Amino acid sequence: MTDTRATATAADRMDTLVGSLLLGGVLTSLGLIITGMVWHRLRTGTTMLDQTLVGHDVVQLLAADLAALGEGAVRPRLLVSLGIVALLLTPYLRVLASMLYFAFVEHDWKYTGFTAFVLLVLTYSLVLR
Amino acid sequence: MTLGPLLVLSFVAGLVGALAGMGGGVVLIPALTFAGEDIKRAIAVSTISVIATSSGAASAYVRDHITNLRVGLFLEMFTIVGAIVGASLTVASSTRPLFVLFGLVLLASCLALWLQRHTPWQSPASPDRFSRWLELEGQYDDRASGRTIAYRATRAGFGGPLMFGAGLIAGLLGIGAGALKVLIHDLVMGLPPKVSTTTSNLIIGVTALAGTSVYLAAGLIDVNLAAPVIVGVTLGAFAGTRILLRVSNEAIHRFFQVVLLLLGTEMIVRGLRGRG
């Protein structure tokens, strides 16, 4: 009895974590993109961003963004690019969090395996090609 | 297209999509192509905006403990592979078949809305062994009736492969394909309607991410298009959900059926004439 109740509470906490992660990710992304677009408009008077995305996968995108950030070159385009990266990472982190939950809280190896498969396919398609 | 019109168009697409209970993609993609955008780039940018709308909607349902994470994760194994295959097909395809296929899916959605019946949900008698092994069960508090509804899903062995097809269409055409996913959850797996729609929402986000990765690698995602579309569609969907709480469902469905019929026919005609 206590055991099922403990699991139920853990499942509730998991729901809250996943829900907050999704909402936080989308809001962060929108915030960054909107700020970048407005800033760009104010600074240049035009609405077209000067460049396309740097890199063709998430890691390259993130690396280019972080490098720019490291140089202190916070430009409107960087914010927009970071916003898009944040959006792409949102469902990815949700799956990662689910896997850790199934493994370390529920000790449910069947679903740890399923989630690991999803994570592996996503990682392959986002990064490894 | 410049930023202003692009924002307005995306906002309207998100709004209309949410009002109809569908994503923004079904309106956004035809609208972008009518405005002169290349259909592949329109599909790519729609896919990325689907991540935002579905994750935003899913967050509320997950926190209300209606979404079934196990059902979602099991079915995601199939949809993401489908989405990667579908998006790869789009990248390799010429544009005319995409117009025709998109039009056909719009007409099918129109038909599905027409045929939608409101039969009360009944729990399937007894799940098969595979579904029991997967532990696809759960319960949620139904606010309308004030009761706790317990359910067990069945026929997961059929549902999974069918979801590969739903993922394929989602990746191929840059839409959520939520209606198709809900149909599979309802009719094949016997999930209660609330659980099907909310779990489908969760699956759509990850499926769209898999599709996006292919379009990103193919260089089809343009920031100048993606940034305003993501913002417009998401805000439009948010506004649509708010309005939906206050107006009649019936009138909206009729209106949306007409929209789907017109857009679908136009897309097919354009595909056949070969003027992408």
Side-chain angles (χ1 to χ4, degrees):
Chain A
M1 192 65 198
T2 5
D3 189 36
T4 36
R5 286 220 21 194
T7 317
T9 334
D12 282 358
R13 276 208 305 271
M14 180 60 193
D15 284 349
T16 310
L17 173 70
V18 165
S20 312
L21 202 73
L22 290 173
L23 188 65
V26 172
L27 291 181
T28 306
S29 164
L30 280 187
L32 285 168
I33 295 175
I34 293 173
T35 311
M37 278 165 52
V38 171
W39 185 9
H40 182 78
R41 176 69 207 247
L42 290 177
R43 212 176 65 161
T44 63
T46 65
T47 50
M48 297 305 272
L49 296 155
D50 45 357
Q51 251 175 291
T52 50
L53 289 176
V54 180
H56 282 173
D57 71 45
V58 173
V59 172
Q60 287 172 8
L61 276 179
L62 191 60
D65 288 349
L66 291 180
L69 210 57
E71 290 164 12
V74 182
R75 283 192 305 259
R77 199 193 64 76
L78 176 67
L79 293 186
V80 173
S81 179
L82 277 173
I84 290 175
V85 171
L87 185 62
L88 296 178
L89 287 180
T90 299
Y92 187 84
L93 290 178
R94 190 266 290 175
V95 175
L96 181 66
S98 311
M99 188 180 76
L100 297 178
Y101 165 76
F102 283 126
F104 297 115
V105 181
E106 292 224 336
H107 304 290
D108 182 336
W109 304 115
K110 188 162 53 194
Y111 273 87
T112 306
F114 292 164
T115 320
F117 173 77
V118 172
L119 205 61
L120 215 67
V121 173
L122 287 178
T123 308
Y124 168 75
S125 81
L126 281 169
V127 180
L128 297 177
R129 300 186 285 176
Chain B
M1 243 181 142
T2 50
L3 187 79
L6 208 48
L7 268 174
V8 173
L9 189 147
S10 312
F11 183 84
V12 173
L15 183 81
V16 175
L19 284 176
M22 296 183 155
V26 283
V27 182
L28 178 73
I29 294 167
L32 282 176
T33 59
F34 294 151
E37 196 55 64
D38 169 53
I39 190 168
K40 287 189 190 182
R41 280 157 45 102
I43 287 174
V45 82
S46 170
T47 311
I48 195 170
S49 75
V50 167
I51 302 178
T53 48
S54 80
S55 299
S59 72
Y61 300 132
V62 173
R63 280 182 299 173
D64 284 344
H65 313 301
I66 302 175
T67 312
N68 191 318
L69 286 179
R70 277 196 167 74
V71 173
L73 277 163
F74 171 68
L75 296 176
E76 277 164 12
M77 291 197 288
F78 299 90
T79 61
I80 55 170
V81 178
I84 290 171
V85 174
S88 308
L89 286 174
T90 295
V91 170
S93 160
S94 61
T95 59
R96 286 176 67 179
L98 294 175
F99 272 97
V100 176
L101 193 62
F102 201 97
L104 289 176
V105 167
L106 291 182
L107 293 185
S109 313
C110 177
L111 195 69
L113 274 183
W114 187 266
L115 295 175
Q116 207 171 56
R117 258 170 279 150
H118 302 279
T119 44
W121 172 77
Q122 278 199 318
S123 181
S126 171
D128 55 277
R129 271 183 65 191
F130 183 55
S131 304
R132 281 206 303 274
W133 179 74
L134 289 171
E135 301 162 63
L136 301 177
E137 55 195 38
Q139 57 181 48
Y140 70 97
D141 296 322
D142 187 44
R143 281 193 192 152
S145 63
R147 287 185 305 149
T148 299
I149 296 180
Y151 58 89
R152 299 165 88 184
T154 185
R155 288 194 288 263
F158 290 113
L162 284 175
M163 288 296 276
F164 171 85
L168 185 85
I169 290 183
L172 193 68
L173 299 179
I175 56 178
L180 187 55
K181 289 179 175 125
V182 167
L183 216 60
I184 296 168
H185 297 174
D186 278 355
L187 298 182
V188 180
M189 301 181 66
L191 288 168
K194 271 228 166 99
V195 180
S196 345
T197 42
T198 56
T199 305
S200 144
N201 236 314
L202 188 75
I203 297 173
I204 287 172
V206 163
T207 311
L209 176 62
T212 299
S213 69
V214 175
Y215 292 123
L216 194 62
L220 283 168
I221 293 176
D222 174 359
V223 191
N224 282 312
L225 198 58
V229 166
I230 291 168
V231 172
V233 171
T234 312
L235 296 182
F238 182 74
T241 323
R242 290 286 137 134
I243 298 173
L244 199 58
L245 299 171
R246 280 171 223 167
V247 290
S248 141
N249 236 328
E250 201 56 34
I252 292 172
H253 272 183
R254 290 274 168 276
F255 166 72
F256 197 65
Q257 276 168 12
V258 176
V259 172
L260 285 175
L261 194 66
L262 292 176
L263 289 179
T265 314
E266 177 66 19
M267 292 293 273
I268 292 173
V269 168
R270 282 169 28 132
L272 294 178
R273 277 192 192 154
R275 273 192 271 133

